[in-house]
Amino acid sequence: MRIICLPFARLRAWAITTATAVTTATAMPAQAQNTLPQLGKNSTAEVIAAMTLEEKANLVVGNGFYIPGANFPGMNSAQLNEAQKKVPGASGVTRGVPRLGIPPIVVTDGPAGVHVFNTGKGRVYYATAWPVGTLLASSWDTALVRRVGVAFGSEAKEYGVDIILGPGLNIHRNPLGGRNFEYYSEDPLITGNIAAALVNGIQSNGVGTSIKHFAANNQETDRNSVNTVVSERALREIYLKGFEIAVKQAQPWTVMTSYNLINGVYTSERPDLVTTILKNEWGFKGFVMTDWFGGKDPVAQMKAGNNLLMPGTADQVKKIVDAVKGGQLDEKALDRNVEGILNIVLQSGTFKADKYSDQPDLTKDAQIAREAADESMVLLKNNNNTLPIAANSHIALFGINAFNLIAGGTGSGDVNRLYTVSLAEGLFHAGLMEDGALYTAYNEYIAQENAKHPKKGFFEEFMNPTPPIQEYPIAPDMITRQAAIADIAIISIGRNSGEGTDRKVSEFYLGETEKQLIANVAAAFHAKNKKVIVVLNIAGVTDVTQWEDNADAVLLAWQPGLEGGNAIADILSGKVNPSGKLATTFPVHYDDVPSAKNFPGKEFPEKATTGMLGMKAIPAEVTYEEGIYVGYRYYNTFGVKPAYPFGYGLSYTTFGYSDLKLSSPTFTNTISASITVTNTGKVAGKEVVQLYLTAPVHKLDKPAEELRAFAKTSLLKPGESQTLTFTLTPADLASYNTTASAWIADAGKYTVKIGASSDDIDIKQTATFNLAKDIVAEKDEKTLTPQTPFTELKPVKK
């Protein structure tokens, strides 16, 4: 969800029409309330039967949202309804029907923490900024992520929130995706399992979630108008699979449809996506809401089974009422959408009158955030045991990011946090000494640059984001002086991104000032036989090949949340042994990315139309020509060497793999694989064990291998072992055959590969089994077919 940047005049008109709709929705009939059915006391069918057509239409259309700093008629605090006053900064609310005991419920962003604003009820509001989605996925630890979810959900409950608009599940199709930081991985298995863990944790508090953005919403460029052209196989195997796993494992209360079109139709208007696949095939029991102002035709959305239109306009209500009266919309379809919403309202904290304090335990949650970041950071390089840093070392700290940590991305994924621990502060807390001259120079530079951009209000900042501070061009003589007095150098590189804009190719690479900083520091320190460490505090995959030879160690911190500096210091100092693994591949060059040639697609300005509230809408189209070959599926199958492979990550200890055993040489209903992992090093540590499967190639082309299971060991002491067991089902063997509209496991030999990354060099043990005949794991309906055929990438047959 995003608060759309609307021209003031148009937004004023929208606010007035929305206020009119609110009045209609809350009008009370003359009939005494105690003679009417009441939600929770009578069946939902009885309640729906007692509703007027207008009440039904109002229930499936949201009740607007509040934008701080935009004090327009119909949107100022005097006109906010009680639900909006309840949670300052709520992203949206539904309408209630008081006479039938139906309350409005409150939804709020976001995927990295409760998105409340810093005003309301006469006090300041803060929430925990959790490690971003990509970092949590790098833990490969569902128990840890569920723990984060429990704390996350508790904060939401204490603020009176009914539904969190998250987590985001979209695939890292391209490293330039502006919202990749919110999302988990290039792989749907990691995506689905991590998302399910977070959803289960949040919802254990009686607070709902809204997994998003359903589906194939893998870019921000033209996101409201882009038509995603993609094969049904790629959708089923890559872009829908994570959602399917999350739905089946966690049953989120809601699912949010995306802005884009899929094969010519808006996602919120596709009955085959919303009803056939999500509700019928997967058994989704909650309700479906649009992204804010998503789609165009409210009647088509109702027919598709998209229960709730957000944030809601009076025009949508009118069109739905008129369509039912005119026979274009069956009232039974409207009733089904109403029923889906009411079933969730019954579970909500608002309906149950749960008490909330407005005072979550932010101190406790900050500690959980730190631990989650500790367990998720990825050590990419560590030559000659550069890390951990010896106690009492004198550190020369370079890079503005070291003093100005990026906790998380921008947009609806941002969090109003009480503080952010910088790397400089974290190192100080860890007892490592830093040079005062560097500290002063960088902080003075940052203060000077910030002074050029006076602080803006929320709405103004959203409309016109402040540009990032450029790297400080530190003088070479200062670097030389530091090399003489410090024991080791740390350079921190920062990159942010956010909602509404994708990164540029130039942002994939480091700038000249950054590269020169690394080169100059390396030359000075290496001349003194001293080591150089680079910390990456980034939102998305960034080039490493142009500069990593100058670094003795590289730590990938992603965006680690409000306790980020302390967590980074935990790893650098050796307090915590790194155990994160990459959930997304780092390519050598941007041009190596399989989607590089068709991201973000093409625009058709000559076909521009007038869109929502008179705004210009430019049609666009992106074709997923790479098909199923996303991330490591492409690199491994086509022999393209990455800089760092999917699943990769170092430790301060070493691990041995032994005694791989399959439960049978042939597959019947299931097969199990067990492996023993031993800590063969000198310090305690955890290992992420990954199971990849290579399938026989007959009717369909297939990736060289695909991740089919994973687990993280417990903390193993030196010499300690743990045996892990994975069970594979027919679904794990199957690929989607579009011609047959079925998931089919082909007969033949399958190879199980277990190791520490997707790279062959990290595969530690292999074994094979046979499948005697084809198995149809699942039969589905024909859906989501592209309007015109296109050529997908396929490996050359050998």
Side-chain angles (χ1 to χ4, degrees), residues 614-675:
M615 298 178 70
K616 187 177 182 181
I618 301 176
E621 185 171 277
V622 58
T623 302
Y624 287 19
E625 294 178 351
E626 70 279 4
I628 61 170
Y629 296 102
V630 178
Y632 73 91
R633 287 172 168 80
Y634 168 77
Y635 297 106
N636 290 9
T637 305
F638 289 81
V640 179
K641 187 72 175 176
Y644 291 111
F646 175 84
Y648 172 87
L650 300 175
S651 170
Y652 295 153
T653 190
T654 56
F655 296 94
Y657 289 66
S658 63
D659 203 21
L660 172 60
K661 294 179 181 177
L662 299 183
S663 58
S664 172
T666 59
F667 185 93
T668 50
N669 296 320
T670 63
I671 195 168
S672 296
S674 63
I675 188 85

Side-chain angles (χ1 to χ4, degrees), residues 125-348:
Y125 282 72
Y126 296 110
T128 301
W130 302 100
V132 298
T134 306
L135 183 56
L136 288 178
S138 301
S139 73
W140 296 59
D141 188 337
T142 54
L144 172 75
V145 175
R146 189 185 192 283
R147 187 175 168 221
V148 169
V150 171
F152 189 166
S154 176
E155 283 190 25
K157 183 174 184 177
E158 291 303 326
Y159 277 131
V161 175
D162 293 302
I163 295 173
I164 286 288
L165 300 175
L169 276 69
N170 294 109
I171 293 294
H172 293 176
R173 174 178 179 251
N174 186 284
L176 302 185
R179 296 182 82 170
N180 280 357
F181 71 93
E182 292 185 32
Y183 305 143
Y184 295 121
S185 175
E186 66 190 32
D187 181 79
L189 183 72
I190 283 284
T191 294
N193 280 276
I194 295 296
L198 191 72
V199 168
N200 279 323
I202 292 173
Q203 295 190 169
S204 69
N205 294 275
V207 173
T209 58
S210 186
I211 62 174
K212 62 183 186 180
H213 305 89
F214 189 63
N217 184 180
N218 307 105
Q219 65 186 65
E220 292 298 285
T221 305
D222 299 312
R223 64 175 181 169
N224 295 82
S225 59
V226 67
N227 177 32
T228 300
V229 179
V230 56
S231 70
E232 185 181 2
R233 183 184 179 190
L235 280 167
R236 295 273 193 175
E237 292 192 13
I238 305 296
Y239 299 102
L240 297 181
K241 178 57 70 174
F243 286 96
E244 179 183 2
I245 293 169
V247 165
K248 290 181 176 179
Q249 289 188 9
Q251 278 298 334
W253 286 12
T254 77
V255 171
M256 183 190 293
T257 46
S258 54
Y259 286 126
N260 56 289
L261 300 85
I262 292 181
N263 296 329
V265 181
Y266 283 104
T267 59
S268 58
E269 299 174 15
R270 291 207 71 125
D272 52 357
L273 178 69
V274 175
T275 296
T276 302
I277 292 177
L278 177 61
K279 296 182 178 181
N280 296 343
E281 291 181 4
W282 299 351
F284 174 61
K285 296 179 175 62
F287 73 77
V288 180
M289 71 171 77
T290 64
D291 204 337
W292 272 224
F293 300 106
K296 281 191 173 181
D297 185 344
V299 176
Q301 290 168 320
M302 289 294 105
K303 290 180 179 179
N306 199 117
N307 305 68
L308 178 64
L309 312 184
M310 293 298 282
T313 68
D315 183 61
Q316 290 172 323
V317 175
K318 184 178 185 301
K319 285 182 176 179
I320 291 169
V321 170
D322 289 348
V324 172
K325 290 180 177 178
Q328 292 84 34
L329 175 63
D330 188 342
E331 192 166 358
K332 291 181 180 178
L334 180 59
D335 289 349
R336 284 193 294 271
N337 289 337
V338 169
E339 182 182 16
I341 294 172
L342 293 182
N343 288 339
I344 295 301
V345 170
L346 283 165
Q347 300 179 51
S348 69

Side-chain angles (χ1 to χ4, degrees), residues 458-701:
F458 176 87
F459 188 57
E460 189 180 2
E461 180 66 31
F462 211 102
M463 292 280 286
N464 184 25
T466 300
I469 299 174
Q470 298 301 302
E471 185 56 70
Y472 177 40
I474 191 167
D477 62 334
M478 182 175 282
I479 296 174
T480 302
R481 286 198 301 271
Q482 290 298 318
I485 62 176
D487 298 313
I488 197 165
I490 298 176
I491 306 167
S492 191
I493 300 295
R495 283 286 184 281
N496 207 355
S497 70
E499 188 175 7
T501 307
D502 290 316
R503 299 163 65 206
K504 300 178 178 62
V505 174
S506 59
E507 294 176 278
F508 175 81
Y509 297 97
L510 267 58
E512 289 304 317
T513 304
E514 292 168 316
K515 289 187 289 186
Q516 194 63 54
L517 172 65
I518 295 173
N520 290 346
V521 171
F525 275 75
H526 289 163
K528 298 287 187 179
N529 292 317
K530 296 176 180 179
K531 303 295 181 62
V532 176
I533 301 162
V534 174
V535 175
L536 296 176
N537 173 205
I538 56 179
V541 170
T542 301
D543 170 66
V544 295
T545 57
Q546 292 188 13
W547 53 267
E548 69 170 338
D549 286 347
N550 288 321
D552 300 289
V554 180
L555 177 66
L556 175 61
W558 290 117
Q559 293 177 326
L562 82 175
E563 283 283 329
N566 284 332
I568 296 171
D570 288 340
I571 302 293
L572 297 180
S573 67
K575 179 180 178 182
V576 173
N577 189 348
S579 60
K581 301 276 188 173
L582 289 179
T584 196
T585 304
F586 274 60
V588 172
H589 307 288
Y590 175 71
D591 289 342
D592 290 342
V593 177
S595 60
K597 294 179 180 179
N598 49 42
F599 180 92
K602 54 188 176 182
E603 294 182 331
F604 304 99
E606 72 280 3
K607 298 180 181 179
T609 60
T610 301
M612 174 64 69
L613 302 176
M615 298 178 70
K616 187 177 182 181
I618 301 176
E621 185 171 277
V622 58
T623 302
Y624 287 19
E625 294 178 351
E626 70 279 4
I628 61 170
Y629 296 102
V630 178
Y632 73 91
R633 287 172 168 80
Y634 168 77
Y635 297 106
N636 290 9
T637 305
F638 289 81
V640 179
K641 187 72 175 176
Y644 291 111
F646 175 84
Y648 172 87
L650 300 175
S651 170
Y652 295 153
T653 190
T654 56
F655 296 94
Y657 289 66
S658 63
D659 203 21
L660 172 60
K661 294 179 181 177
L662 299 183
S663 58
S664 172
T666 59
F667 185 93
T668 50
N669 296 320
T670 63
I671 195 168
S672 296
S674 63
I675 188 85
T676 298
V677 179
T678 303
N679 184 342
T680 55
K682 298 180 179 180
V683 296
K686 300 178 182 180
E687 174 72 327
V688 174
V689 181
Q690 305 158 43
L691 186 154
Y692 296 88
L693 191 66
T694 297
V697 176
H698 298 312
K699 303 180 184 68
L700 299 178
D701 56 291

